[in-house]
Amino acid sequence: MQRARLRAAAGAARAAGPQGGAPRPDPAPGGRGVGSRVPQRVSTQPGARTHGQSRGADPQAGSLALDLVPDIFAMRVLLEETGEMFQVTNCRGDMTVRELKEELDLIAGIPLNLQQLQYLDQGALVDDSTLNSHDVVPGGIISLCVWHYDGWTDLVSAAVEGDTSKLSCLGVAEESPCQSANAQYLGEKHWKAWVAQRAFVALYIASHRGRVEAVLYLLEHGANCHGRSPMGRTPLHVATAMGQSDCITPLLRYGASVHTKDAKGMTPQAIARQLNHRQDERQMFLSYWMAKSRRKDLKDLNLNKAFQSGKFGSGSKK
């Protein structure tokens, strides 16, 4: 009966649509979410888990066994502050909320430490709880909210829009006029750290969304392209994952590393190779060798020949 109620609730949720607004298209005009790039196949084989199949069950309960709950399924995540909808395709019932946040760090481009997830009316989901414990159903919609303290919601919205006029007033540079409840009590040292953190988050999101003008503005005003999210990802990681080639160029020009590994052991160059972003991989390869050899000519014939012959890679010494 519990499963029957869950299925009824799931049907009602799909009919009513997402909390906070109707589904929106993929967020970045120039790139797609990682979930849509590498879709996971949903299992419909006999080995998939079924509920309601037990000896002695009544006929009505037995008919519910036709509804298969897949081992791997897709979820939709609605970013409440912007109305953007993202898809996470590799969800599992025993997946923890923390693991889902780790996926969203890359898919939604929101650093893990700023995420607050909610499902239906359950309030904030605890990191070590599982999707099963919250009765999350395949295809359901989870709300992603940004923590409201210290003006983070305004900063995230401005970075998503790529609005430099708004960003300039939100504490992304030391000369910024931003006055939050906490900032006015910070000493000089902590003020600089506060500004650096906000500038990095804005750069991370703008790079993920392909907002070139905002990326350039932030880099010119001191945003650190070497900064990392809690998952160890840099702005170059997310720009590469989302295919934002126009943002990769200024990040490399300001010294972003193509060999920095995230918590999953992936470098930006490895991500480009995995997703078959040949032009981005080539650009990172040439940038790396140009910096190493102190050359400024990207048309160096030897480098182009080396790339075309495939005699390169993260471990190559040639």
Side-chain angles (χ1 to χ4, degrees):
M1 292 301 293
Q2 175 68 6
R3 291 295 173 182
R5 287 196 295 271
L6 291 180
R7 277 186 283 271
R14 294 189 188 99
Q19 300 175 12
R24 305 294 179 89
D26 284 344
R32 297 175 294 170
V34 173
S36 62
R37 290 180 182 278
V38 191
Q40 297 289 336
R41 184 173 300 173
V42 177
S43 172
T44 57
Q45 302 300 318
R49 293 194 302 271
T50 62
H51 296 273
Q53 284 185 316
S54 60
R55 295 184 179 180
D58 59 54
Q60 184 178 3
S63 66
L64 297 178
L66 297 176
D67 288 332
L68 297 178
V69 178
D71 293 317
I72 299 177
F73 55 88
M75 293 289 306
R76 287 174 292 169
V77 176
L78 175 67
L79 181 54
E80 293 287 351
E81 281 70 25
T82 64
E84 297 167 294
M85 186 74 76
F86 302 91
Q87 186 173 21
V88 185
T89 59
N90 59 340
C91 297
R92 310 176 316 276
D94 61 354
M95 185 181 202
T96 65
V97 172
R98 165 76 186 204
E99 289 173 331
L100 179 56
K101 287 182 177 181
E102 292 176 357
E103 294 289 325
L104 292 171
D105 184 286
L106 182 62
I107 294 174
I110 305 297
L112 184 153
N113 57 317
L114 294 180
Q115 298 177 28
Q116 182 181 15
L117 300 185
Q118 300 175 355
Y119 185 64
L120 301 179
D121 58 351
Q122 299 184 41
L125 305 185
V126 181
D127 279 2
D128 59 0
S129 61
T130 65
L131 299 186
N132 275 339
S133 68
H134 295 288
D135 294 328
V136 174
V137 296
I141 296 174
I142 289 180
S143 294
L144 167 58
C145 302
V146 175
W147 286 103
H148 288 200
Y149 71 92
D150 232 9
W152 283 111
T153 52
D154 292 335
L155 181 69
V156 168
S157 296
V160 168
E161 296 171 9
D163 192 326
T164 56
S165 62
K166 291 181 180 179
L167 286 172
S168 65
C169 301
L170 293 172
V172 296
E174 292 185 19
E175 64 274 15
S176 172
C178 178
Q179 289 294 329
S180 72
N182 293 329
Q184 56 185 329
Y185 298 107
L186 297 176
E188 181 179 358
K189 180 179 179 181
H190 291 94
W191 162 263
K192 291 183 177 180
W194 183 81
V195 168
Q197 174 65 10
R198 295 173 72 83
F200 162 74
V201 170
L203 181 62
Y204 193 83
I205 297 172
S207 299
H208 182 277
R209 300 304 197 277
R211 307 303 188 193
V212 182
E213 184 179 351
V215 167
L216 288 170
Y217 170 83
L218 291 163
L219 289 171
E220 290 168 359
H221 285 79
N224 183 11
C225 62
H226 299 288
R228 298 195 190 194
S229 76
M231 288 300 296
R233 296 182 180 120
T234 66
L236 187 58
H237 276 97
V238 292
T240 303
M242 302 306 294
Q244 307 294 5
S245 301
D246 290 341
C247 292
I248 291 175
T249 301
L251 289 170
L252 290 174
R253 189 164 68 244
Y254 274 79
S257 172
V258 303
H259 294 313
T260 299
K261 292 184 178 180
D262 65 11
K264 305 292 186 180
M266 296 294 290
T267 67
Q269 190 172 30
I271 291 174
R273 185 179 300 116
Q274 185 181 67
L275 296 177
N276 199 30
H277 294 173
R278 296 288 293 170
Q279 183 60 35
D280 294 341
E281 184 185 4
R282 177 179 183 276
Q283 185 180 7
M284 284 186 273
F285 168 74
L286 295 178
S287 175
Y288 168 74
W289 281 104
M290 182 183 69
K292 188 172 182 178
S293 60
R294 298 185 181 277
R295 296 174 184 171
K296 296 182 179 180
D297 185 7
L298 286 177
K299 296 182 180 180
D300 183 272
L301 294 178
N302 291 330
L303 293 179
N304 277 282
K305 288 179 180 179
F307 182 88
Q308 293 169 5
S309 66
K311 296 178 180 179
F312 67 96
S314 60
S316 175
K317 296 183 180 180
K318 296 184 181 181

